[in-house]
Amino acid sequence: SGGLRVIAADGDVGADIIGYDIPPETKHPRALARGKSERVDALLADPEVDQVLASRVGGVTALLIPLVFEGRRLGIISAFNKAGSDPRFTDDDARLGEAFGTRAALAVHLSERVARETVDAILDAQEAERSRIARELHDETGSALTGVLLGLSAIDRASTLSETRQASGALRAEASSALENVGRLAF
């Protein structure tokens, strides 16, 4: 919808805001869209600020650091109320936050890439296993059915009851072996 969702938080109210959806027309999504860090010295006085979020975190001031990697906007880091007697963030704080944000964006990018590569590797392994099982089923089942046909021919050619029983026994053994192989492959 163009907004953002809080997926991680720390501090006294951290758990209370996880899952909170920040509306798209507010400062956080706009700062991310602009791709530039922003200092907000008075949250209550800024009409772009999501006042619900500000009140939930007890925010007076904020520092917003977009996470951007190779032009792709990944998210935003927000810090509220600098510790000390003056809660406002400085240019030095913004530079430090940007350096951290650059590294965090790289970490997010790398974790997404590793996740994609892992899924691709799993899918490749599944496909290779399916192909192997299909080959084994084809080869072993084809071989077993050929053996059954030969056994039936041997029964047809048998001229005595003893030869018929011997061919029938061999046919049973072939069918039993085929069933075991199919069971093994299914397992």
Side-chain angles (χ1 to χ4, degrees), residues 27 41 53 58 124-125:
K27 191 150 208 87
D41 292 337
L53 177 63
D124 289 347

Side-chain angles (χ1 to χ4, degrees), residues 71-133:
R72 186 169 159 245
R73 289 163 173 77
L74 305 170
I76 194 162
I77 297 174
S78 306
F80 296 96
N81 305 338
K82 181 178 176 181
S85 59
D86 185 359
R88 294 175 296 174
F89 293 92
T90 65
D91 288 340
D92 287 341
D93 297 326
R95 281 191 289 281
L96 179 63
E98 288 166 357
F100 178 78
T102 299
R103 287 166 180 77
L106 174 61
V108 168
H109 167 76
L110 290 175
S111 70
E112 287 176 344
R113 190 176 89 198
V114 166
R116 276 191 312 273
E117 289 171 356
T118 301
V119 167
D120 289 347
I122 289 169
L123 292 175
D124 289 347
Q126 286 176 336
E127 186 57 36
E129 185 65 4
R130 274 193 288 276
S131 294
R132 183 191 67 78
I133 290 171

Side-chain angles (χ1 to χ4, degrees), residues 99-170:
F100 178 78
T102 299
R103 287 166 180 77
L106 174 61
V108 168
H109 167 76
L110 290 175
S111 70
E112 287 176 344
R113 190 176 89 198
V114 166
R116 276 191 312 273
E117 289 171 356
T118 301
V119 167
D120 289 347
I122 289 169
L123 292 175
D124 289 347
Q126 286 176 336
E127 186 57 36
E129 185 65 4
R130 274 193 288 276
S131 294
R132 183 191 67 78
I133 290 171
R135 273 192 313 278
E136 282 192 40
L137 274 173
H138 177 268
D139 294 349
E140 296 210 11
T141 305
S143 174
L145 291 175
T146 300
V148 168
L149 289 174
L150 291 173
L152 288 171
S153 294
I155 290 173
D156 287 344
R157 288 190 312 273
S159 56
T160 65
L161 184 59
S162 174
E163 288 176 351
T164 303
R165 285 188 177 147
Q166 186 178 5
S168 173

Side-chain angles (χ1 to χ4, degrees), residues 1-5 21-35 38 48 50 53 64 66 73 76:
S1 66
L4 297 171
R5 174 169 291 151
D21 289 323
I22 302 171
E25 67 280 354
T26 59
K27 191 150 208 87
H28 281 79
R30 289 180 178 166
L32 179 59
R34 290 187 281 261
E38 291 192 37
E48 278 192 326
D50 177 4
L53 177 63
L64 311 179
R73 289 163 173 77
I76 194 162

Side-chain angles (χ1 to χ4, degrees), residues 50-65:
D50 177 4
Q51 295 301 322
V52 173
L53 177 63
S55 68
R56 286 176 80 174
V57 298
V60 176
T61 66
L63 177 62
L64 311 179
I65 308 291

